[in-house]
């Protein structure tokens, strides 16, 4: 059974071959994007003393970097749509590298805000968007696996960068370490070099419909039936512009009318309020119930380790033929599962102590990995790979707010009640509610989509006969063309196959 | 004249008796306290519980209350009204050493006290295990100890297997000692002579203790070679990937879109006499 929303890419993605090298490049890019801002916190104490600023002022560096990374989403989408994935990733890598090298010469905290925060953050967003987009260009059948593997970059890089940063700091001081980190981050350019545009000459092409999205209303579909020439089949030149590479029209704001996109957006914005705070506060919670520093830190290591394997694992599970068509349900389940974990956490901590928290860390690691692995896969599934670039830009800038406000609000809850369990319950509720919301809304969405498929099936048969007459007319118009009977048959069959393929794509 | 001489004699004798009597009276009035002996804590830190005792045996008047002081500061919750007062230490450790005083206060007279000393060997409880600084910066090494009497601190540097006193000919070393705390600051770090192991030594009449801190000095341009190394690696990888791609490209081109040109011809050599219609491919 075909997936709920198709790619309307215009070609069959390779689903392998060089695609795995592209996944490795995306692994590196995504790893740096998510892990880099978090790993910089190791230098904060020293920099704080050096510049004589308070802890909240130095924490702004990380916040600015994260917010620039999310806010840069639309900018990144526009650039990707215009220049293609590879160029943007390489520029992003150069930006972050140059900003880190320049920051090592900084003399005030403002220099760090601007260089590391703003420019570095934008550079990372130029890495994040294209990496996600290009996976959609290279994979269709095995896309969840590819997404899961690429997203696994985040925990792997975080667990590598943290000790590496400590080593660099001990041996080179923070200025020297920034220099060397700038060079290390330029490995993103290597990742960009791997992101070759899809070789259009070797893939199997088929005509593309005008991308009116998958939620064309009844009026629209009848319109298409009436004007097959103008509406559906693009001319040869338009096809060549649309397919191949990552280029697309500049920013697709019509996404806001896309039903699936709106559902995804609402669910995610609420979910992100409670997504990161439990991770941030886990060691503090452990220390609060009397566990010592090393064991509390070990909880985070367990969490990261489980996360590392949960992501590709989820990708594999999402790929099996029973789940792939209904992947939205799988995503809603994983969000709700997160919520349940947080709701049970205080009980585990109180009744089982450290062992309870270890159990929680394991289950939470699985839940976190599941959500992260599916996060962008379901968006691709909803809007299709062609519009994914614009979609992910819009989604990240709108998620910017919850991602940044979540931990401080949770911290405020902890301060007000002087107990972590209320915060965990609040986070659990903030994840369980969107999970259930997504589940219900997607049920309706799937019903609607199935109905549209049925309508198009009945419309396509009518379209098919119309198309054959169009093809015949075109042939009649051509001068000096005498066709043998064989070639007439061949033309007719081609038209029939095109019609069938159209039916399956939509 | 005889009356004056005799008067002087009488006056000196009475003054002498007066002083004697004053001393007798005052010694009768001064309170006396029986206190326990001075204690020395064992060096292995496993000491049996200690009880410090003070007994007010005689006083000119009833005392108001009694309390204990350590090193000049009152110990909380030791105030009471007993003449026989005790201070109990369950597990005495190095930090419990010091000068203890039991104090008795009186309404109309100054308070009386007795001193008991608990002595211990100095035990270094805080120090910086290692410090990494860039050349030209200032380094600070410190040591904190417990123990009484307060130790005498000395700093030494490891040189050819022996700890030698620090050579301050360059005038960059400053030592600051205060009771149980010592600080060694080195300004304008020199990468050739300053790195190494530094030992702080605490000595008092009971014993001595020392601990080592390591100082490392980073070169100003230490980061240069790693930076160049990583940049070179990035450039090489990018070049390899791009060259591999350019070399593969000619193999992949397949011309299935364009007209085949030489493959189709208009020649009718093979089927001249057959009745085949052939499309003109010009």
């Amino acid at each position: 059974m075909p997936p709920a929303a198709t790619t309307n890419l215009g070609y069959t993605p390779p689903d392998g071959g060089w695609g795995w090298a592209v996944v490795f490049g995306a692994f590196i890019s995504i790893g740096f994007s998510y892990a880099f801002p978090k790993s910089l916190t190791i230098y904060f104490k020293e920099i704080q003393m050096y510049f004589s600023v308070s802890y909240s002022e130095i924490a702004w560096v990380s916040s600015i970097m994260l917010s620039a990374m999310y806010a840069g989403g639309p900018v990144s989408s526009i650039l990707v749509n215009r220049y293609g994935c590879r160029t943007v990733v390489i520029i992003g890598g150069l930006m972050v590298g140059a900003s880190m090298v320049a920051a090592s010469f900084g003399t005030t905290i403002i220099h760090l805000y601007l260089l590391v925060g703003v420019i570095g953050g934008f550079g990372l967003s130029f890495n994040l968007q294209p990496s996600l987009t290009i996976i959609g260009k290279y994979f269709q059948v095995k896309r969840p696996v590819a997404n899961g593997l690429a997203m696994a970059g985040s925990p792997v890089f975080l667990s590598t960068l943290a000790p590496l940063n400590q080593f660099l700091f001990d041996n080179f001081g923070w200025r020297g370490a920034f220099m060397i980190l700038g060079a290390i981050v330029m490995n993103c350019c290597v990742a960009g070099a791997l992101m070759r545009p899809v070789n259009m000459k070797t893939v199997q092409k088929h005509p593309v419909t005008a991308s009116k999205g998958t939620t064309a209303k009844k009026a629209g579909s009848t319109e298409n039936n009436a004007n097959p020439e103008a509406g559906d089949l693009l001319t040869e030149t338009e096809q060549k512009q649309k397919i191949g590479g990552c280029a697309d029209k500049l920013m697709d704001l019509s996404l806001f009318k896309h039903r699936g996109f709106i559902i995804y957006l609402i669910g995610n914005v609420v979910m992100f309020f409670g997504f990161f705070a439990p991770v941030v506060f886990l060691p503090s919670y452990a220390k609060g119930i009397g566990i010592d520093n090393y064991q509390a830190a070990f909880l985070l290591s367990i969490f990261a380790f489980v996360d590392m394997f949960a992501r590709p694992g989820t990708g594999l599970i999402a790929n099996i033929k029973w789940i792939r068509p209904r992947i939205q349900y799988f995503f809603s389940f994983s969000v709700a599962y997160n919520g349940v974990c947080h709701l049970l956490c205080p009980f585990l901590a109180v009744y089982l102590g450290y062992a309870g928290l270890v159990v929680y860390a394991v289950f939470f690691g699985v839940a976190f990995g599941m959500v992260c692995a599916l996060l962008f896969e379901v968006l691709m599934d909803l809007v299709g790979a062609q519009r994914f670039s614009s979609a992910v830009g819009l989604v990240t800038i709108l998620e910017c707010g919850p991602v940044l406000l979540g931990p401080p609000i949770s911290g405020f809850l902890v301060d007000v009640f002087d107990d972590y369990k209320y915060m965990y319950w609040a986070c659990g509720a903030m994840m369980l509610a969107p999970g259930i919301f997504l589940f219900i809304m997607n049920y309706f969405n799937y019903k609607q989509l199935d109905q549209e498929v049925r309508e198009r099936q009945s419309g396509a048969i009518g379209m098919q006969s119309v198309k054959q007459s169009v093809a015949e007319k075109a042939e009649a118009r051509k001068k000096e063309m005498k066709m043998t009977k064989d070639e007439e048959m061949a033309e007719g069959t081609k038209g029939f196959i095109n019609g069938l393929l159209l039916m399956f794509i939509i | 004249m005889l009356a004056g001489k005799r008067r002087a004699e009488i006056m000196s004798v009475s003054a002498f008796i007066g002083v004697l009597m004053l001393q007798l009276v005052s010694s009768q009035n001064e309170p006396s306290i029986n206190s326990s002996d001075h204690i020395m804590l064992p060096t292995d830190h496993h000491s049996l519980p200690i009880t410090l005792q003070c007994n007010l045996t005689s006083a000119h008047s009833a005392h108001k209350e009694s309390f204990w002081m350590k090193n000049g500061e009152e110990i909380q919750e030791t105030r009471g009204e007993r003449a026989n007062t005790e201070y109990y230490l369950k597990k005495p450790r190095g930090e419990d050493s010091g000068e203890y005083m039991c104090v008795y206060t009186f309404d109309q007279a100054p308070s009386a006290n007795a001193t008991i000393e608990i002595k211990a060997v100095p035990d270094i409880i805080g120090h910086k295990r290692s410090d990494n600084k860039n050349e030209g910066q200032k380094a600070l090494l410190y040591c904190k100890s417990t123990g009484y009497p307060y130790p005498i601190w000395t700093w030494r540097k490891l040189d050819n297997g022996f700890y030698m006193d620090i050579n301050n000919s360059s005038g960059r070393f400053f030592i600051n000692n205060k009771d149980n705390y010592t600080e060694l600051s080195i300004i304008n770090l020199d990468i050739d002579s300053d790195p190494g192991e530094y030992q702080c030594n605490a000595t008092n009449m009971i014993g001595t203790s020392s601990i080592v801190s390591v100082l490392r000095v980073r070169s100003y341009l230490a980061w240069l070679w790693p930076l160049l190394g990583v940049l070179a690696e990035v450039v090489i990888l990018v070049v390899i990937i791009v060259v591999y791609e350019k070399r593969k490209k000619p193999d992949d081109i397949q011309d299935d879109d364009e007209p085949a040109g030489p493959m189709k011809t208009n020649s009718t050599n093979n089927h001249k006499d057959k009745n085949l219609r052939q499309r003109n491919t010009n």
Side-chain angles (χ1 to χ4, degrees):
Chain A
M1 187 183 160
T6 58
T7 60
N8 62 13
L9 273 172
Y11 61 90
T12 314
D15 255 304
W18 188 251
W20 297 116
V22 169
V23 167
F24 183 64
F27 178 86
I28 296 175
S29 271
I30 292 175
F32 274 117
S33 299
Y34 281 119
F36 201 69
K38 292 179 204 162
S39 65
L40 281 183
T41 53
I42 292 186
Y43 299 109
F44 281 176
K45 198 161 177 208
E46 173 77 11
I47 299 178
Q48 183 190 342
M49 280 197 293
Y50 186 84
F51 287 125
S52 315
V53 292
S54 69
Y55 179 72
S56 62
E57 282 181 316
I58 193 76
W60 271 104
V61 173
S62 210
S63 305
I64 293 179
M65 197 175 201
L66 263 176
S67 57
M69 188 172 97
Y70 276 94
V75 178
S76 182
S77 303
I78 294 175
L79 287 175
V80 163
N81 286 337
R82 179 79 179 82
Y83 295 110
C85 295
R86 185 184 238 174
T87 324
V88 179
V89 173
I90 292 181
I91 292 177
L94 288 172
M95 269 175 81
V96 191
S99 74
M100 290 302 285
V101 167
S104 79
F105 291 114
T107 49
T108 71
I109 192 87
I110 307 289
H111 290 164
L112 286 186
Y113 289 158
L114 286 172
L115 289 167
V116 176
V118 178
I119 300 184
F122 269 96
L124 287 180
S125 82
F126 289 169
N127 267 294
L128 183 62
Q129 315 293 109
S131 313
L132 298 167
T133 310
I134 201 166
I135 291 178
K137 302 288 180 186
Y138 263 90
F139 287 89
Q140 171 59 22
V141 176
K142 296 204 189 110
R143 202 174 59 198
V145 181
N147 259 311
L149 279 171
M151 292 299 282
S154 174
V156 166
F157 268 73
L158 187 57
S159 47
T160 323
L161 275 179
L164 178 71
N165 275 344
Q166 187 64 42
F167 170 77
L168 286 176
F169 174 61
D170 283 338
N171 285 317
F172 300 102
W174 71 270
R175 288 189 193 271
F178 271 25
M179 280 275 187
I180 297 177
L181 271 178
I184 291 178
V185 148
M186 289 220 208
N187 276 303
C188 288
C189 298
V190 175
L194 284 170
M195 294 182 190
R196 220 188 265 177
V198 177
N199 193 345
M200 295 318 305
K201 302 236 163 70
T202 53
V203 293
Q204 194 186 4
K205 289 196 274 292
H206 36 70
V208 162
T209 59
S211 46
K212 287 206 168 92
T214 53
T215 56
K217 295 163 193 156
K218 275 187 191 170
S221 52
T222 48
E223 223 177 71
N224 277 347
N225 283 338
N227 303 336
E229 275 178 307
D232 277 14
L233 295 177
L234 302 174
T235 62
E236 195 63 33
T237 44
E238 270 183 86
Q239 275 200 0
K240 278 209 174 111
Q241 263 181 357
K242 272 203 162 290
I243 59 185
C246 293
D248 194 0
K249 75 178 215 255
L250 231 37
M251 175 59 103
D252 197 352
L253 287 171
S254 70
L255 279 166
F256 281 111
K257 295 190 212 131
H258 190 294
R259 189 175 57 237
F261 181 72
I262 298 289
I263 296 172
Y264 177 85
L265 200 60
I266 296 174
N268 271 36
V269 164
V270 178
M271 176 189 81
F272 268 99
F273 272 111
F275 195 51
F276 289 112
V279 190
V280 169
F281 287 107
L282 186 61
S284 322
Y285 186 34
K287 285 181 212 165
I289 62 171
I291 296 173
D292 72 84
N293 283 347
Y294 285 110
Q295 286 188 311
F298 188 58
L299 281 175
L300 274 184
S301 309
I302 298 175
F303 167 79
F305 188 73
V306 173
D307 187 18
M308 223 184 278
F309 291 104
R311 295 193 192 200
T314 313
L316 277 170
I317 294 176
N319 212 28
I320 61 182
K321 63 174 194 244
W322 289 296
I323 296 192
R324 182 82 195 275
R326 295 295 186 233
I327 205 170
Q328 305 293 332
Y329 291 145
F330 193 39
F331 180 61
S332 349
F333 163 73
S334 55
V335 173
Y337 170 47
N338 251 300
V340 168
C341 273
H342 298 326
L343 288 174
L344 291 178
C345 172
F347 301 114
L348 282 170
V350 164
Y351 291 118
L352 292 175
Y354 184 62
L357 279 180
V358 169
V359 168
Y360 167 72
V362 168
F363 279 104
F364 180 37
V366 170
F368 195 82
M370 278 170 74
V371 172
C372 282
L374 294 172
L375 199 60
F376 294 109
E377 170 59 32
V378 297
L379 185 60
M380 264 188 234
D381 187 65
L382 279 168
V383 304
Q386 196 66 358
R387 304 164 82 186
F388 178 74
S389 175
S390 313
V392 75
L394 292 172
V395 160
T396 51
I397 196 172
L398 290 168
E399 281 170 2
C400 189
V403 164
L404 289 171
L405 290 175
I409 292 179
S410 310
F412 172 72
L413 274 175
V414 171
D415 287 335
V416 161
F417 290 106
D418 207 23
D419 191 350
Y420 284 94
K421 67 174 186 216
Y422 294 107
M423 183 212 70
Y424 274 93
W425 285 338
C427 289
M430 280 197 278
M431 298 209 67
L432 193 57
I436 296 176
F437 169 79
L438 282 171
F439 200 85
I440 296 174
M441 296 310 288
N442 274 310
Y443 171 69
F444 288 121
N445 195 27
Y446 273 132
K447 263 177 75 171
Q448 194 79 347
L449 284 171
D450 286 341
Q451 204 178 356
E452 280 164 16
V453 166
R454 276 194 291 270
E455 281 166 16
R456 273 185 218 242
Q457 273 182 352
S458 52
I461 297 171
M463 227 163 59
Q464 196 189 301
S465 53
V466 172
K467 214 184 293 152
Q468 275 189 331
S469 63
V470 165
E472 280 165 346
K473 272 191 216 162
E475 281 167 52
R477 272 191 232 123
K478 283 177 190 165
K479 303 167 192 172
E480 302 171 43
M481 196 69 96
K482 290 178 195 171
M483 293 174 69
T484 63
K485 280 193 184 164
D486 295 338
E487 282 168 294
E488 260 188 271
M489 275 286 283
E491 291 291 341
T493 338
K494 229 201 255 180
F496 182 71
I497 293 174
N498 280 341
L500 275 177
L501 281 169
L502 263 176
M503 204 172 74
F504 279 117
I505 289 166
I506 305 163
Chain B
M1 278 316 116
L2 193 66
K5 211 176 172 184
R6 261 205 110 107
R7 202 188 291 167
E9 272 181 16
I10 290 169
M11 278 192 69
S12 62
V13 168
S14 46
F16 181 66
I17 292 171
V19 168
L20 273 177
M21 291 215 21
L22 193 64
Q23 273 203 337
L24 203 61
V25 165
S26 62
S27 66
Q28 272 182 341
N29 284 342
E30 214 178 80
S32 65
I33 304 171
N34 271 358
S35 57
S36 20
D37 293 327
H38 298 304
I39 296 171
M40 210 163 77
L41 289 178
T43 48
D44 61 354
H45 306 295
H46 294 308
S47 174
L48 295 166
I50 291 174
T51 311
L52 302 175
Q53 276 182 323
C54 268
N55 200 357
L56 184 65
T57 45
S58 65
H60 46 71
S61 59
H63 65 278
K64 197 166 82 179
E65 49 178 17
S66 64
F67 60 90
W68 287 86
M69 288 173 81
K70 179 184 171 183
N71 293 335
E73 279 179 23
E74 181 181 336
I75 304 174
Q76 300 284 339
E77 292 166 19
T78 50
R79 285 208 175 225
E81 289 177 351
R82 300 172 49 164
N84 189 352
T85 178
E86 285 181 357
Y87 185 62
Y88 178 65
L89 287 161
K90 192 168 166 192
K91 266 196 215 166
R93 288 175 303 204
E95 62 209 20
D96 292 317
S97 62
E99 190 187 55
Y100 288 83
M101 274 201 305
C102 54
V103 181
Y104 293 90
T105 56
F106 295 95
D107 274 329
Q108 306 277 348
S111 45
N113 58 49
T115 306
I116 308 169
E117 286 180 341
I118 299 185
K119 297 189 194 160
V121 70
D123 181 26
I124 298 181
I125 52 169
H127 75 288
K128 221 187 238 190
R129 204 177 297 170
S130 75
D131 201 9
N132 298 323
K133 286 281 188 297
N134 292 330
E135 57 177 340
Q137 279 188 311
K138 179 179 124 170
L140 191 76
L141 299 173
Y142 68 88
C143 287
K144 257 187 237 176
S145 80
T146 61
Y148 182 83
Y150 296 132
I152 297 175
W153 293 100
T154 43
W155 283 93
R156 296 200 190 93
K157 183 170 186 285
L158 184 65
D159 204 3
N160 288 337
F162 295 103
Y163 282 99
M164 315 279 288
D165 288 327
I166 291 173
N167 179 359
N168 201 6
S169 53
S170 52
R172 296 177 296 113
F173 293 79
F174 298 93
I175 297 178
N176 188 10
N177 296 335
K178 189 183 162 204
D179 293 342
N180 268 341
Y181 179 73
T182 183
E183 236 174 45
L184 171 69
S185 33
I186 314 172
I187 57 170
N188 204 7
L189 285 168
D190 175 43
I191 196 170
D192 296 314
S193 60
D194 289 339
E197 290 178 22
Y198 287 81
Q199 183 203 56
C200 68
N201 184 310
T203 309
N204 71 1
M205 61 186 281
I206 313 294
T208 179
S209 166
S210 61
I211 209 150
V212 170
S213 303
V214 179
L215 177 68
R216 293 189 202 101
V217 181
R218 306 180 200 119
S219 155
Y220 193 57
L221 285 175
W223 46 264
L224 191 60
W225 285 114
L227 174 83
L228 293 175
V230 178
L231 279 178
E233 169 249 327
V234 170
V235 168
I236 290 173
L237 282 176
V238 172
V239 164
I240 290 176
I241 292 171
V242 172
V243 163
Y244 176 71
E245 186 175 325
K246 297 290 179 213
R247 288 179 71 134
K248 282 267 282 182
K249 229 180 186 178
D251 306 336
D252 285 338
I253 291 176
Q254 285 163 26
D255 297 327
D256 45 7
D257 299 323
E258 296 140 67
M263 278 163 49
K264 282 191 198 168
T265 67
N266 273 345
S267 91
T268 49
N269 288 337
N270 291 335
H271 53 89
K272 246 192 260 184
D273 31 336
K274 296 175 197 163
N275 213 1
L276 282 172
R277 284 192 324 183
Q278 185 173 328
R279 187 153 58 137
N280 196 344
T281 57
N282 287 340

